[in-house]
Amino acid sequence: MTVQPIRLFGDPVLRTPAAEVVDFDKELRILVKDLFDTMKEQGGAGLAAPQIGVGLRVFTYHISDDQHGHLVNPTWNVLGEGYQEGPEGCLSIPGLAWDCRRHEHVVATGWNLDGEPVTVEGTEKLARCIQHETDHLDGVLFLDRLDAATRKQALKEIRQAEWFDGGLPVVKQSPHALFGGNG
Ligand SMILES: [Zn+2]
């Protein structure tokens, strides 16, 4: 078990788009294991590689004992027209959560660590997780997805959070297509 330290809000790695995985090698296998171990240790529903300082397009998820795994180079598409509202959190913004609007039903495609194609279809928490984690691979945080009033409140709470080291909290204001489909 190799639990890695989680990068916190303010760390530039969280704002840097991650690179496509090209080599499905032993390092990738170790990365997926580290992500999974760290996610489980922290009790998270998902964890993306940039959150442990690795700029590769990989994330792990664990919604339940039946819904867990990893995706390499993921993309996703919307199924249906529904949305979900509900609290969302992030291991890189520990101890805080705010309501965030997400698609209700999505399907993600990508590869597993052996380079085999994988499809993951999910609603509710799994759909939220897929959207959240793929955002991380683009340097996007869920703060960017909050409505303006909630975002303002969120930044205030972050500035007051014990873990926040006083760095400049840079939030990108609506630069990303919110309902564009592909993460
Ligand atoms: Zn997150």
Side-chain angles (χ1 to χ4, degrees), residues 51 90 132 136:
Q51 292 181 276
C90 179
H132 180 112
H136 272 303

Side-chain angles (χ1 to χ4, degrees), residues 46-48 51 88-93 132-133 136 140-142:
L47 189 64
Q51 292 181 276
E88 189 163 320
C90 179
L91 291 177
S92 295
I93 308 174
H132 180 112
E133 301 309 330
H136 272 303
V140 174
L141 297 173
F142 83 107

Side-chain angles (χ1 to χ4, degrees), residues 113-134:
L113 47 72
D114 295 315
E116 298 160 346
V118 177
T119 299
V120 180
E121 184 183 332
T123 59
E124 298 177 9
K125 203 173 174 189
L126 178 55
R128 182 178 290 281
C129 179
I130 288 167
Q131 292 165 80
H132 180 112
E133 301 309 330
T134 309

